[in-house]
Amino acid sequence: MHESVGRRNAVVRLPASPAGIRALADLLAEGIGVHAALVFSGGRCAEVLDAYVAGMERALAAGRPLGAAPLVVSFPVGRFDREVEARLDALGVPAGAEVRGAAGLAVARRMYRVREERLSGDWWRVLRANGALQPRLLWGPGAEGGVGALVGWNTALALSVETLEAAALAPALTGDTLLNADAEAACALRALERLGVSAPEVAAVLEAAELHRLRHGRPVRRGSVPAASPGSGSSSGPAAEQP
């Protein structure tokens, strides 16, 4: 499918489950870019980045151009925050408490630190010198901390047009807010832990729920699907209706 599309910037979206991470390394080794989705923790982000390096090593050994296989790692910041806020509500934590709205940003900052650590080794420099692209972090919409709190090199934000326009007019944008913010993030996560909200547990619950949704939320189409005629906007025919 990737070959038939014929676009260098086309990436395959995979959930960052253990099976997805193994497939991620295989795809990168074949020169196919990947969007690693549903990453909810710094630990899972580290596993994805390790798989990226492993895939790049295999691509290099096979003589493939490393720049043809980008990696994007996405974290649904808003989804994480909503789960944590619901738990804080259940615990009776006041709305104005310092821990409110801090979870998603803290995990994002931890992921950014993990990425910096993984890209500081000598072997990464070898891969980079041979054309490997720096993996990018993509923050999902709905972050409580706002656009300005998630600005960093080689990162991106998924925003609605309205949020983007509001951010462009806001005076609070001050440049990079992710670099060297790991200590503050660790304090926020420890504060949540003391209240009984475990970030790793939240990550596990969200990952399980999202994987269940992916497995059961829509039918898997099998067989060939006839190409849509120009202007039709969709495919039709018996093959498209197969379960």
Side-chain angles (χ1 to χ4, degrees):
M1 182 179 67
H2 187 273
E3 185 176 343
S4 66
V5 170
R7 300 281 184 122
R8 285 189 61 189
N9 62 344
V11 295
V12 176
R13 186 176 186 269
L14 290 174
S17 62
I21 291 174
R22 290 192 295 271
L24 176 148
D26 291 341
L27 288 174
L28 292 168
E30 294 292 329
I32 297 173
V34 178
H35 170 193
L38 308 183
V39 178
F40 291 104
S41 69
R44 186 67 85 196
C45 182
E47 293 175 5
V48 170
L49 294 174
D50 288 343
Y52 175 67
V53 171
M56 290 292 97
E57 289 174 348
R58 291 162 56 188
L60 179 63
R64 292 189 174 89
L66 303 190
L71 173 68
V72 177
V73 183
S74 65
F75 168 44
V77 183
R79 179 73 183 89
F80 194 93
D81 265 333
R82 287 191 294 274
E83 179 66 23
V84 171
E85 292 300 299
R87 295 178 180 226
L88 293 175
D89 288 340
L91 291 169
V93 177
E98 189 175 354
V99 293
R100 289 288 191 170
L105 175 59
V107 173
R109 285 174 166 172
R110 179 58 191 149
M111 289 184 183
Y112 191 84
R113 178 59 179 171
V114 166
R115 179 189 171 279
E116 294 301 295
E117 291 171 348
R118 286 302 190 274
L119 300 186
S120 64
D122 292 337
W123 185 236
W124 164 250
R125 294 188 183 95
V126 172
L127 296 174
R128 182 70 172 140
N130 281 275
L133 302 174
Q134 294 197 37
R136 303 185 72 184
L137 300 174
L138 172 63
W139 313 124
E144 293 292 334
V147 174
L150 290 167
V151 177
W153 295 102
N154 294 297
T155 67
L157 277 158
L159 302 172
S160 66
V161 173
E162 293 77 14
T163 303
L164 178 63
E165 291 176 344
L169 297 174
L173 295 178
T174 57
D176 193 330
T177 54
L178 294 172
L179 189 64
N180 297 324
D182 184 55
E184 183 180 346
C187 289
L189 294 176
R190 284 195 296 269
L192 287 168
E193 188 78 37
R194 287 193 293 270
L195 291 170
V197 179
S198 166
E201 180 188 346
V202 171
V205 168
L206 291 176
E207 179 181 307
E210 290 298 322
L211 288 175
H212 182 272
R213 181 183 62 81
L214 288 175
R215 291 186 182 111
H216 304 286
R218 66 185 72 173
V220 177
R221 300 186 185 275
R222 301 185 186 279
S224 60
V225 178
S229 59
S232 66
S234 64
S235 298
S236 61
E241 301 302 323
Q242 294 179 2

